[in-house]
Coordinates of all heavy atoms in Angstrom, one line a residue:
M25 N -1.6 29.5 43.7 CA -1.2 28.1 44.0 C 0.2 27.9 43.3 O 0.3 28.0 42.1 CB -2.2 27.2 43.5 CG -1.8 25.7 43.6 SD -3.0 24.6 42.7 CE -4.1 24.3 44.0
P26 N 1.2 27.5 44.1 CA 2.5 27.2 43.5 C 2.4 25.9 42.6 O 1.6 25.0 42.8 CB 3.4 26.9 44.7 CG 2.6 27.3 45.9 CD 1.2 27.4 45.5
V27 N 3.3 25.9 41.6 CA 3.3 24.8 40.7 C 3.7 23.5 41.4 O 3.2 22.4 41.0 CB 4.4 25.0 39.6 CG1 4.5 23.9 38.7 CG2 4.0 26.3 38.8
S28 N 4.5 23.5 42.4 CA 4.9 22.3 43.1 C 3.7 21.6 43.8 O 3.7 20.4 44.1 CB 5.9 22.6 44.2 OG 5.4 23.5 45.1
Q29 N 2.6 22.3 44.1 CA 1.4 21.7 44.7 C 0.4 21.1 43.8 O -0.5 20.5 44.2 CB 0.7 22.8 45.6 CG 1.6 23.2 46.8 CD 0.9 24.3 47.6 OE1 -0.1 24.8 47.2 NE2 1.4 24.6 48.7
V30 N 0.6 21.3 42.5 CA -0.3 20.8 41.5 C -0.1 19.3 41.3 O 1.0 18.9 41.1 CB -0.2 21.5 40.1 CG1 -1.1 20.9 39.1 CG2 -0.5 23.0 40.3
S31 N -1.1 18.5 41.4 CA -1.0 17.1 41.2 C -1.8 16.7 40.0 O -2.8 17.2 39.7 CB -1.5 16.3 42.4 OG -2.9 16.5 42.5
V32 N -1.3 15.7 39.3 CA -1.9 15.2 38.1 C -2.8 14.0 38.5 O -2.3 13.1 39.1 CB -0.9 14.8 37.0 CG1 -1.5 14.2 35.8 CG2 0.0 16.0 36.7
T33 N -4.1 14.1 38.3 CA -5.0 13.1 38.7 C -5.2 12.0 37.6 O -5.5 10.9 37.8 CB -6.3 13.6 39.1 OG1 -6.9 14.4 38.0 CG2 -6.1 14.5 40.3
Q34 N -5.0 12.5 36.3 CA -5.2 11.6 35.2 C -3.9 11.3 34.5 O -3.1 12.2 34.4 CB -6.2 12.2 34.2 CG -7.6 12.4 34.7 CD -8.5 13.0 33.6 OE1 -8.0 13.5 32.7 NE2 -9.8 12.8 33.8
P35 N -3.7 10.1 34.1 CA -2.4 9.8 33.4 C -2.4 10.6 32.0 O -3.4 10.8 31.4 CB -2.4 8.3 33.2 CG -3.9 7.9 33.3 CD -4.5 8.9 34.2
V36 N -1.2 10.9 31.6 CA -1.1 11.6 30.3 C -1.4 10.6 29.2 O -1.0 9.5 29.1 CB 0.4 12.1 30.1 CG1 0.6 12.7 28.8 CG2 0.7 13.0 31.3
Q37 N -2.3 11.1 28.3 CA -2.7 10.3 27.1 C -1.6 10.1 26.1 O -0.9 11.1 25.8 CB -3.9 10.9 26.5 CG -5.2 10.9 27.3 CD -5.7 9.6 27.7 OE1 -5.6 8.7 26.9 NE2 -6.2 9.4 28.9
P38 N -1.4 8.9 25.6 CA -0.4 8.8 24.5 C -0.7 9.6 23.3 O -1.9 9.8 23.0 CB -0.3 7.3 24.3 CG -1.6 6.8 24.7 CD -2.1 7.7 25.8
T39 N 0.3 10.0 22.5 CA 0.0 10.7 21.3 C -0.6 9.7 20.3 O -0.6 8.5 20.4 CB 1.3 11.3 20.7 OG1 2.2 10.2 20.4 CG2 2.0 12.2 21.7
M40 N -1.1 10.3 19.2 CA -1.7 9.5 18.1 C -0.7 8.5 17.5 O -1.1 7.4 17.3 CB -2.3 10.5 17.1 CG -2.9 9.7 15.9 SD -4.3 8.7 16.5 CE -5.6 9.5 15.7
T41 N 0.5 9.0 17.3 CA 1.5 8.1 16.7 C 1.8 6.9 17.6 O 2.0 5.8 17.1 CB 2.8 8.8 16.3 OG1 3.3 9.5 17.4 CG2 2.5 9.8 15.1
Q42 N 1.9 7.2 18.9 CA 2.1 6.1 19.8 C 1.0 5.1 19.8 O 1.2 3.9 19.9 CB 2.3 6.6 21.2 CG 3.6 7.4 21.4 CD 3.7 8.1 22.7 OE1 2.7 8.4 23.4 NE2 4.9 8.4 23.2
R43 N -0.3 5.6 19.8 CA -1.4 4.7 19.7 C -1.4 3.9 18.5 O -1.7 2.7 18.5 CB -2.7 5.4 19.9 CG -2.9 5.9 21.4 CD -4.2 6.6 21.5 NE -4.0 7.9 21.0 CZ -4.9 8.9 21.0 NH1 -6.2 8.6 21.4 NH2 -4.6 10.1 20.6
V44 N -1.2 4.5 17.3 CA -1.2 3.8 16.1 C 0.0 2.7 16.1 O -0.2 1.6 15.6 CB -1.0 4.7 14.9 CG1 -0.7 4.0 13.6 CG2 -2.2 5.6 14.7
A45 N 1.1 3.1 16.6 CA 2.3 2.2 16.6 C 2.0 1.0 17.5 O 2.4 -0.2 17.2 CB 3.5 2.9 17.1
E46 N 1.2 1.2 18.6 CA 0.9 0.1 19.5 C -0.1 -0.9 18.8 O -0.1 -2.1 19.1 CB 0.3 0.6 20.8 CG 1.3 1.3 21.6 CD 0.7 2.1 22.8 OE1 -0.5 2.0 22.9 OE2 1.5 2.6 23.6
T47 N -1.0 -0.4 18.0 CA -2.0 -1.2 17.4 C -1.6 -1.9 16.1 O -2.2 -2.8 15.7 CB -3.3 -0.4 17.1 OG1 -3.0 0.7 16.2 CG2 -3.9 0.2 18.4
M48 N -0.5 -1.4 15.5 CA 0.0 -2.0 14.3 C 0.7 -3.3 14.6 O 1.4 -3.5 15.6 CB 1.0 -1.1 13.6 CG 0.3 0.2 13.0 SD 1.5 1.3 12.3 CE 2.2 0.3 11.0
P49 N 0.5 -4.3 13.7 CA 1.3 -5.6 13.9 C 2.8 -5.3 13.7 O 3.2 -4.3 13.1 CB 0.8 -6.4 12.7 CG -0.4 -5.8 12.2 CD -0.4 -4.4 12.6
T50 N 3.6 -6.1 14.3 CA 5.0 -5.9 14.3 C 5.6 -5.9 12.9 O 6.5 -5.1 12.6 CB 5.7 -7.1 15.1 OG1 5.1 -7.1 16.4 CG2 7.2 -6.8 15.3
E51 N 5.1 -6.8 12.0 CA 5.7 -6.9 10.7 C 5.4 -5.7 9.8 O 6.0 -5.5 8.8 CB 5.2 -8.2 10.0 CG 3.8 -8.3 9.7 CD 3.0 -8.9 10.9 OE1 3.6 -9.2 11.9 OE2 1.8 -9.0 10.8
S52 N 4.4 -4.9 10.2 CA 4.0 -3.7 9.4 C 4.6 -2.4 9.9 O 4.2 -1.4 9.5 CB 2.5 -3.6 9.3 OG 2.0 -3.3 10.5
K53 N 5.5 -2.5 10.8 CA 6.1 -1.3 11.4 C 7.3 -0.9 10.6 O 8.1 0.0 11.0 CB 6.5 -1.5 12.8 CG 5.4 -1.6 13.8 CD 5.9 -1.7 15.2 CE 4.7 -1.7 16.2 NZ 5.1 -1.8 17.5
G54 N 7.5 -1.4 9.4 CA 8.7 -1.0 8.5 C 8.5 0.4 8.0 O 7.5 1.0 8.2
N55 N 9.5 0.8 7.4 CA 9.5 2.2 6.8 C 8.7 2.3 5.5 O 8.3 1.3 5.0 CB 10.9 2.7 6.7 CG 11.8 1.9 5.7 OD1 11.2 1.1 5.0 ND2 13.0 2.2 5.7
F56 N 8.5 3.5 5.1 CA 7.7 3.7 3.9 C 8.3 3.0 2.6 O 7.6 2.5 1.8 CB 7.5 5.2 3.6 CG 6.7 5.5 2.4 CD1 5.4 5.3 2.4 CD2 7.4 6.0 1.3 CE1 4.6 5.6 1.3 CE2 6.6 6.3 0.2 CZ 5.3 6.1 0.2
G57 N 9.7 3.1 2.5 CA 10.4 2.5 1.4 C 10.1 1.0 1.3 O 9.9 0.5 0.2
T58 N 10.1 0.3 2.4 CA 9.9 -1.1 2.4 C 8.4 -1.4 2.0 O 8.2 -2.3 1.3 CB 10.2 -1.7 3.8 OG1 11.5 -1.4 4.2 CG2 10.0 -3.2 3.9
M59 N 7.5 -0.6 2.5 CA 6.1 -0.8 2.2 C 5.9 -0.6 0.7 O 5.2 -1.4 0.0 CB 5.2 0.2 3.0 CG 3.7 0.0 2.7 SD 2.7 1.2 3.4 CE 3.1 2.6 2.4
L60 N 6.5 0.5 0.1 CA 6.4 0.7 -1.3 C 7.0 -0.4 -2.1 O 6.4 -0.8 -3.1 CB 7.0 2.1 -1.6 CG 6.9 2.6 -3.0 CD1 5.4 2.8 -3.3 CD2 7.6 3.9 -3.2
K61 N 8.1 -0.8 -1.7 CA 8.8 -1.9 -2.4 C 8.0 -3.2 -2.4 O 7.8 -3.9 -3.5 CB 10.2 -2.2 -1.8 CG 11.0 -3.3 -2.5 CD 12.3 -3.5 -1.8 CE 13.0 -4.7 -2.3 NZ 14.2 -5.1 -1.5
D62 N 7.4 -3.5 -1.3 CA 6.5 -4.7 -1.2 C 5.3 -4.6 -2.1 O 4.8 -5.5 -2.7 CB 6.1 -4.9 0.2 CG 7.2 -5.4 1.1 OD1 8.3 -5.8 0.6 OD2 7.1 -5.3 2.3
A63 N 4.7 -3.4 -2.2 CA 3.5 -3.1 -3.0 C 3.9 -3.3 -4.5 O 3.1 -3.9 -5.2 CB 2.9 -1.8 -2.7
I64 N 5.0 -2.7 -4.9 CA 5.4 -2.9 -6.3 C 5.7 -4.3 -6.6 O 5.4 -4.8 -7.7 CB 6.6 -1.9 -6.6 CG1 6.1 -0.5 -6.5 CG2 7.2 -2.2 -7.9 CD1 7.2 0.5 -6.6
Q65 N 6.3 -5.0 -5.7 CA 6.6 -6.5 -5.9 C 5.4 -7.3 -6.0 O 5.3 -8.2 -6.8 CB 7.5 -7.0 -4.7 CG 8.0 -8.4 -4.9 CD 8.9 -8.6 -6.1 OE1 9.8 -7.7 -6.3 NE2 8.7 -9.6 -6.9
S66 N 4.3 -6.9 -5.3 CA 3.1 -7.6 -5.4 C 2.4 -7.4 -6.7 O 1.9 -8.4 -7.3 CB 2.1 -7.1 -4.3 OG 0.8 -7.6 -4.4
V67 N 2.5 -6.2 -7.3 CA 2.0 -5.9 -8.6 C 2.8 -6.7 -9.6 O 2.2 -7.4 -10.5 CB 2.1 -4.4 -8.9 CG1 1.7 -4.2 -10.4 CG2 1.1 -3.6 -8.0
N68 N 4.1 -6.8 -9.5 CA 5.0 -7.5 -10.4 C 4.7 -9.0 -10.3 O 4.6 -9.7 -11.4 CB 6.4 -7.3 -10.1 CG 7.4 -7.8 -11.1 OD1 7.1 -7.8 -12.3 ND2 8.5 -8.4 -10.6
D69 N 4.4 -9.5 -9.1 CA 4.1 -11.0 -9.0 C 2.8 -11.3 -9.7 O 2.7 -12.4 -10.3 CB 4.0 -11.3 -7.5 CG 5.4 -11.3 -6.8 OD1 6.5 -11.3 -7.5 OD2 5.4 -11.3 -5.5
S70 N 1.8 -10.4 -9.6 CA 0.6 -10.7 -10.2 C 0.7 -10.7 -11.8 O 0.1 -11.5 -12.5 CB -0.5 -9.8 -9.8 OG -0.3 -8.5 -10.2
Q71 N 1.6 -9.8 -12.3 CA 1.8 -9.8 -13.7 C 2.6 -11.0 -14.2 O 2.2 -11.6 -15.2 CB 2.7 -8.5 -14.1 CG 2.0 -7.2 -13.9 CD 0.8 -7.0 -14.9 OE1 1.0 -7.4 -16.0 NE2 -0.2 -6.4 -14.4
I72 N 3.5 -11.5 -13.4 CA 4.3 -12.7 -13.7 C 3.3 -13.9 -13.7 O 3.4 -14.8 -14.6 CB 5.5 -12.9 -12.8 CG1 6.5 -11.8 -13.1 CG2 6.1 -14.3 -12.9 CD1 7.6 -11.7 -12.1
A73 N 2.5 -14.0 -12.7 CA 1.5 -15.1 -12.6 C 0.6 -15.1 -13.8 O 0.3 -16.2 -14.4 CB 0.7 -15.0 -11.3
S74 N 0.2 -14.0 -14.3 CA -0.7 -13.9 -15.4 C 0.0 -14.3 -16.7 O -0.5 -15.1 -17.5 CB -1.2 -12.4 -15.6 OG -1.9 -12.3 -16.8
D75 N 1.3 -13.9 -16.8 CA 2.1 -14.3 -18.0 C 2.3 -15.8 -18.0 O 2.2 -16.5 -19.0 CB 3.4 -13.6 -18.0 CG 3.3 -12.1 -18.4 OD1 2.3 -11.7 -18.9 OD2 4.3 -11.4 -18.1
N76 N 2.6 -16.4 -16.8 CA 2.8 -17.8 -16.7 C 1.5 -18.6 -17.1 O 1.6 -19.6 -17.8 CB 3.3 -18.2 -15.3 CG 4.7 -17.8 -15.0 OD1 5.4 -17.5 -15.9 ND2 5.0 -17.7 -13.7
M77 N 0.4 -18.2 -16.6 CA -0.9 -18.9 -16.9 C -1.2 -18.8 -18.4 O -1.6 -19.7 -19.1 CB -2.0 -18.3 -16.1 CG -1.9 -18.6 -14.7 SD -2.3 -20.3 -14.3 CE -4.0 -20.4 -14.4
T78 N -0.9 -17.6 -19.0 CA -1.2 -17.4 -20.4 C -0.2 -18.3 -21.3 O -0.7 -19.0 -22.2 CB -1.0 -15.9 -20.8 OG1 -1.8 -15.1 -20.0 CG2 -1.3 -15.7 -22.3
N79 N 1.0 -18.4 -20.9 CA 2.0 -19.3 -21.6 C 1.6 -20.7 -21.5 O 1.7 -21.5 -22.4 CB 3.4 -19.0 -21.1 CG 4.0 -17.7 -21.6 OD1 3.6 -17.2 -22.6 ND2 4.9 -17.2 -20.8
K80 N 1.1 -21.1 -20.3 CA 0.7 -22.5 -20.1 C -0.5 -22.8 -21.1 O -0.6 -23.9 -21.7 CB 0.3 -22.8 -18.7 CG 1.4 -22.9 -17.7 CD 0.9 -23.2 -16.3 CE 2.1 -23.3 -15.4 NZ 1.6 -23.5 -14.0
L81 N -1.4 -21.9 -21.2 CA -2.6 -22.1 -22.1 C -2.1 -22.2 -23.5 O -2.6 -23.0 -24.3 CB -3.6 -20.9 -21.9 CG -4.9 -21.0 -22.7 CD1 -5.7 -22.2 -22.3 CD2 -5.6 -19.8 -22.7
I82 N -1.2 -21.3 -23.9 CA -0.7 -21.3 -25.3 C 0.0 -22.6 -25.6 O -0.1 -23.1 -26.7 CB 0.2 -20.1 -25.5 CG1 -0.6 -18.8 -25.5 CG2 1.0 -20.2 -26.8 CD1 0.3 -17.5 -25.5
N83 N 0.8 -23.1 -24.7 CA 1.5 -24.3 -24.9 C 0.7 -25.6 -24.8 O 1.2 -26.7 -25.0 CB 2.7 -24.4 -23.9 CG 3.7 -23.4 -24.1 OD1 3.9 -22.9 -25.3 ND2 4.4 -23.0 -23.1
G84 N -0.6 -25.5 -24.5 CA -1.5 -26.6 -24.5 C -1.5 -27.4 -23.2 O -1.9 -28.5 -23.2
E85 N -0.9 -26.8 -22.1 CA -0.9 -27.5 -20.8 C -2.4 -27.5 -20.3 O -3.3 -26.8 -20.7 CB 0.0 -26.8 -19.9 CG 1.5 -26.9 -20.3 CD 2.4 -26.3 -19.3 OE1 2.1 -26.2 -18.1 OE2 3.5 -25.8 -19.8
N86 N -2.6 -28.4 -19.2 CA -3.9 -28.5 -18.6 C -4.2 -27.4 -17.7 O -4.0 -27.4 -16.5 CB -3.9 -29.9 -17.9 CG -5.3 -30.2 -17.4 OD1 -6.3 -29.6 -17.9 ND2 -5.4 -31.2 -16.5
V87 N -4.7 -26.3 -18.4 CA -5.1 -25.1 -17.6 C -6.4 -24.6 -18.1 O -6.7 -24.7 -19.3 CB -4.0 -23.9 -17.9 CG1 -4.5 -22.7 -17.2 CG2 -2.7 -24.3 -17.5
E88 N -7.3 -24.3 -17.2 CA -8.7 -23.9 -17.6 C -8.6 -22.5 -18.1 O -7.9 -21.6 -17.5 CB -9.6 -24.0 -16.4 CG -9.8 -25.4 -15.9 CD -10.6 -26.3 -16.8 OE1 -11.4 -25.7 -17.6 OE2 -10.3 -27.5 -16.9
L89 N -9.4 -22.2 -19.1 CA -9.5 -20.9 -19.7 C -10.0 -19.8 -18.6 O -9.4 -18.7 -18.6 CB -10.4 -20.8 -20.9 CG -10.5 -19.5 -21.6 CD1 -9.2 -19.0 -22.1 CD2 -11.5 -19.6 -22.7
H90 N -10.9 -20.2 -17.8 CA -11.5 -19.2 -16.9 C -10.4 -18.9 -15.8 O -10.4 -17.7 -15.3 CB -12.8 -19.7 -16.2 CG -12.6 -20.9 -15.4 ND1 -12.7 -22.2 -15.9 CD2 -12.4 -21.1 -14.1 CE1 -12.5 -23.1 -15.0 NE2 -12.4 -22.4 -13.8
D91 N -9.5 -19.8 -15.5 CA -8.5 -19.5 -14.5 C -7.5 -18.5 -15.1 O -7.0 -17.6 -14.4 CB -7.7 -20.8 -14.1 CG -8.5 -21.7 -13.2 OD1 -9.4 -21.1 -12.5 OD2 -8.3 -22.9 -13.2
V92 N -7.2 -18.7 -16.4 CA -6.3 -17.8 -17.1 C -6.9 -16.4 -17.1 O -6.2 -15.4 -16.9 CB -6.0 -18.3 -18.5 CG1 -5.1 -17.3 -19.3 CG2 -5.3 -19.6 -18.5
M93 N -8.2 -16.3 -17.5 CA -8.8 -15.0 -17.5 C -8.9 -14.3 -16.2 O -8.8 -13.1 -16.1 CB -10.2 -15.1 -18.2 CG -10.2 -15.6 -19.6 SD -9.2 -14.6 -20.7 CE -10.0 -13.0 -20.6
I94 N -9.2 -15.1 -15.1 CA -9.3 -14.5 -13.8 C -7.9 -14.0 -13.4 O -7.8 -12.9 -12.8 CB -9.8 -15.6 -12.8 CG1 -11.3 -15.8 -13.0 CG2 -9.5 -15.1 -11.3 CD1 -11.8 -17.0 -12.3
T95 N -6.8 -14.7 -13.6 CA -5.5 -14.3 -13.3 C -5.1 -13.0 -14.1 O -4.5 -12.1 -13.5 CB -4.5 -15.4 -13.6 OG1 -4.9 -16.6 -12.9 CG2 -3.1 -15.0 -13.1
A96 N -5.5 -13.0 -15.3 CA -5.2 -11.8 -16.1 C -6.0 -10.6 -15.6 O -5.4 -9.4 -15.6 CB -5.6 -12.0 -17.6
Q97 N -7.2 -10.7 -15.2 CA -8.0 -9.6 -14.7 C -7.5 -9.1 -13.4 O -7.4 -7.9 -13.1 CB -9.5 -10.0 -14.6 CG -10.2 -10.0 -15.9 CD -10.2 -8.6 -16.5 OE1 -10.5 -7.6 -15.9 NE2 -9.9 -8.6 -17.8
K98 N -7.0 -10.1 -12.5 CA -6.4 -9.7 -11.2 C -5.2 -8.8 -11.5 O -4.9 -7.8 -10.8 CB -6.1 -10.9 -10.4 CG -7.2 -11.5 -9.7 CD -6.8 -12.7 -8.9 CE -8.0 -13.4 -8.2 NZ -7.5 -14.6 -7.4
A99 N -4.3 -9.3 -12.4 CA -3.1 -8.5 -12.8 C -3.5 -7.1 -13.3 O -2.8 -6.1 -13.0 CB -2.3 -9.3 -13.8
S100 N -4.5 -7.1 -14.1 CA -4.9 -5.8 -14.7 C -5.4 -4.8 -13.6 O -5.1 -3.7 -13.6 CB -6.0 -6.0 -15.7 OG -6.5 -4.8 -16.2
V101 N -6.2 -5.4 -12.7 CA -6.8 -4.5 -11.6 C -5.7 -4.0 -10.7 O -5.6 -2.8 -10.3 CB -7.8 -5.3 -10.8 CG1 -8.2 -4.6 -9.5 CG2 -9.1 -5.5 -11.7
T102 N -4.7 -4.9 -10.3 CA -3.6 -4.4 -9.5 C -2.7 -3.4 -10.2 O -2.3 -2.4 -9.5 CB -2.7 -5.6 -9.0 OG1 -2.2 -6.3 -10.1 CG2 -3.5 -6.6 -8.1
L103 N -2.5 -3.6 -11.4 CA -1.7 -2.6 -12.2 C -2.4 -1.3 -12.3 O -1.8 -0.2 -12.0 CB -1.3 -3.1 -13.6 CG -0.5 -2.2 -14.4 CD1 0.9 -1.9 -13.7 CD2 -0.3 -2.7 -15.8
N104 N -3.7 -1.3 -12.6 CA -4.5 0.0 -12.7 C -4.6 0.7 -11.3 O -4.5 1.9 -11.3 CB -5.9 -0.3 -13.3 CG -5.8 -0.6 -14.7 OD1 -4.9 -0.1 -15.4 ND2 -6.8 -1.4 -15.2
T105 N -4.7 -0.1 -10.3 CA -4.7 0.5 -8.9 C -3.4 1.2 -8.6 O -3.4 2.3 -8.1 CB -5.1 -0.6 -7.9 OG1 -6.3 -1.2 -8.2 CG2 -5.1 0.0 -6.5
A106 N -2.3 0.5 -8.9 CA -1.0 1.1 -8.7 C -0.8 2.4 -9.5 O -0.3 3.4 -9.0 CB 0.1 0.1 -9.0
L107 N -1.3 2.4 -10.7 CA -1.2 3.6 -11.5 C -2.0 4.7 -11.0 O -1.6 5.9 -11.0 CB -1.6 3.3 -13.0 CG -0.6 2.4 -13.8 CD1 -1.2 2.1 -15.1 CD2 0.7 3.1 -13.9
Q108 N -3.2 4.4 -10.5 CA -4.0 5.5 -9.9 C -3.5 6.0 -8.7 O -3.5 7.3 -8.4 CB -5.5 4.9 -9.7 CG -6.2 4.7 -11.0 CD -6.4 5.9 -11.8 OE1 -6.7 7.0 -11.4 NE2 -6.2 5.7 -13.1
V109 N -2.9 5.2 -7.8 CA -2.2 5.6 -6.6 C -1.1 6.5 -7.0 O -0.9 7.6 -6.4 CB -1.8 4.5 -5.7 CG1 -0.9 4.9 -4.6 CG2 -3.0 3.7 -5.2
R110 N -0.3 6.1 -8.0 CA 0.9 6.9 -8.4 C 0.4 8.3 -8.9 O 1.0 9.3 -8.6 CB 1.6 6.2 -9.5 CG 2.9 7.0 -10.0 CD 3.2 6.9 -11.4 NE 2.1 7.2 -12.3 CZ 2.1 7.0 -13.6 NH1 3.2 6.5 -14.1 NH2 1.1 7.3 -14.3
N111 N -0.7 8.3 -9.7 CA -1.2 9.6 -10.2 C -1.7 10.5 -9.1 O -1.4 11.7 -9.1 CB -2.4 9.3 -11.1 CG -1.9 8.7 -12.4 OD1 -0.7 8.7 -12.8 ND2 -2.9 8.1 -13.1
K112 N -2.3 9.9 -8.0 CA -2.7 10.8 -6.9 C -1.6 11.3 -6.1 O -1.6 12.4 -5.6 CB -3.7 9.9 -6.0 CG -5.0 9.7 -6.6 CD -5.8 10.9 -6.7 CE -7.2 10.6 -7.3 NZ -7.9 11.8 -7.5
V113 N -0.5 10.5 -6.0 CA 0.7 11.0 -5.2 C 1.4 12.1 -6.0 O 1.7 13.1 -5.4 CB 1.6 9.8 -5.0 CG1 3.0 10.3 -4.5 CG2 1.0 8.8 -4.0
V114 N 1.5 12.0 -7.3 CA 2.1 13.0 -8.1 C 1.2 14.3 -8.1 O 1.8 15.4 -8.0 CB 2.3 12.5 -9.6 CG1 2.7 13.7 -10.5 CG2 3.4 11.4 -9.6
E115 N -0.1 14.1 -8.2 CA -1.0 15.3 -8.1 C -0.8 16.0 -6.7 O -0.8 17.2 -6.7 CB -2.4 14.8 -8.3 CG -3.4 15.9 -8.4 CD -4.8 15.3 -8.6 OE1 -5.0 14.4 -9.4 OE2 -5.7 15.8 -7.9
A116 N -0.8 15.2 -5.7 CA -0.6 15.8 -4.3 C 0.7 16.5 -4.2 O 0.8 17.6 -3.7 CB -0.7 14.7 -3.3
Y117 N 1.8 15.9 -4.8 CA 3.1 16.6 -4.8 C 3.1 17.9 -5.5 O 3.6 18.9 -5.1 CB 4.2 15.6 -5.3 CG 5.5 16.3 -5.5 CD1 6.3 16.5 -4.4 CD2 6.0 16.7 -6.7 CE1 7.6 17.0 -4.5 CE2 7.2 17.3 -6.9 CZ 8.0 17.5 -5.8 OH 9.2 18.1 -5.9
Q118 N 2.5 17.9 -6.7 CA 2.4 19.1 -7.5 C 1.6 20.2 -6.8 O 1.9 21.4 -6.8 CB 1.7 18.8 -8.9 CG 2.7 18.0 -9.7 CD 2.0 17.6 -11.0 OE1 0.8 17.6 -11.1 NE2 2.8 17.1 -12.0
E119 N 0.5 19.8 -6.1 CA -0.3 20.7 -5.3 C 0.5 21.4 -4.2 O 0.4 22.5 -3.9 CB -1.6 20.0 -4.8 CG -2.5 21.0 -4.1 CD -3.2 21.9 -5.1 OE1 -3.4 21.5 -6.3 OE2 -3.6 23.0 -4.7
I120 N 1.3 20.5 -3.5 CA 2.1 21.0 -2.4 C 3.2 22.0 -3.0 O 3.5 23.1 -2.4 CB 2.8 19.9 -1.7 CG1 1.8 19.1 -0.9 CG2 3.9 20.4 -0.8 CD1 2.3 17.9 -0.3
M121 N 3.7 21.7 -4.1 CA 4.7 22.6 -4.7 C 4.1 23.9 -5.2 O 4.8 25.0 -5.2 CB 5.4 21.9 -5.9 CG 6.2 20.7 -5.5 SD 7.4 21.0 -4.2 CE 8.6 22.1 -5.1
R122 N 2.8 24.0 -5.5 CA 2.2 25.2 -5.9 C 1.8 26.1 -4.7 O 1.5 27.3 -4.9 CB 0.9 24.9 -6.7 CG 1.2 24.5 -8.1 CD -0.1 24.5 -8.9 NE -1.0 23.4 -8.5 CZ -1.1 22.3 -9.2 NH1 -0.4 22.1 -10.3 NH2 -1.9 21.3 -8.7
M123 N 1.9 25.6 -3.5 CA 1.5 26.4 -2.3 C 2.6 27.4 -2.1 O 3.8 27.2 -2.3 CB 1.5 25.5 -1.0 CG 0.3 24.6 -1.0 SD 0.4 23.7 0.6 CE -1.0 22.6 0.4
T124 N 2.1 28.6 -1.6 CA 3.0 29.7 -1.3 C 3.3 29.6 0.2 O 2.4 29.4 1.0 CB 2.4 31.0 -1.6 OG1 1.2 31.2 -1.0 CG2 2.2 31.1 -3.1
V125 N 4.5 29.9 0.6 CA 4.9 29.8 2.0 C 4.9 31.2 2.6 O 5.3 32.1 2.1 CB 6.3 29.1 2.1 CG1 6.7 29.0 3.6 CG2 6.3 27.8 1.5

């Protein structure tokens, strides 16, 4: 059968990256650098919020102790999460560097 007589009955399926790009919201289609910068900024913002709440408590402003402790714990959890992600990325990089080609 000649190639010119072959007909395609099913449409070609989009690739995985095309499907993921179609389902992603427009604002999250940025590059990896932007995503990383935003994640680090989020960790920094939580640390700053914790410091501000602690300073308000120290200065005697009208701040509840439990709010200060919750903010401090949120900052601690976000920082520890960022550190663990960093450790996993470094570990993966080192593993890739040990591979023989």
Side-chain angles (χ1 to χ4, degrees):
M25 169 188 275
V27 175
S28 61
Q29 293 178 350
V30 175
S31 65
V32 177
T33 58
Q34 294 180 342
V36 177
Q37 296 293 325
T39 64
M40 179 60 115
T41 55
Q42 289 171 337
R43 284 183 278 181
V44 169
E46 290 171 357
T47 60
M48 290 176 61
T50 306
E51 63 273 0
S52 67
K53 288 185 179 180
N55 60 12
F56 179 74
T58 304
M59 183 189 70
L60 186 61
K61 180 181 173 186
D62 292 343
I64 292 172
Q65 185 63 43
S66 174
V67 172
N68 188 40
D69 290 344
S70 67
Q71 293 291 321
I72 290 171
S74 175
D75 289 344
N76 289 339
M77 291 290 281
T78 303
N79 286 333
K80 286 180 182 179
L81 182 68
I82 291 170
N83 292 332
E85 294 181 29
N86 190 14
V87 178
E88 296 292 330
L89 178 62
H90 65 273
D91 290 334
V92 175
M93 294 306 297
I94 290 170
T95 307
Q97 283 300 312
K98 283 182 181 179
S100 176
V101 167
T102 57
L103 181 62
N104 286 333
T105 302
L107 289 174
Q108 291 300 318
V109 169
R110 183 212 53 185
N111 291 343
K112 289 294 183 181
V113 168
V114 169
E115 184 180 320
Y117 173 78
Q118 289 172 344
E119 187 68 28
I120 289 171
M121 295 307 291
R122 283 192 288 258
M123 287 184 185
T124 58
V125 180

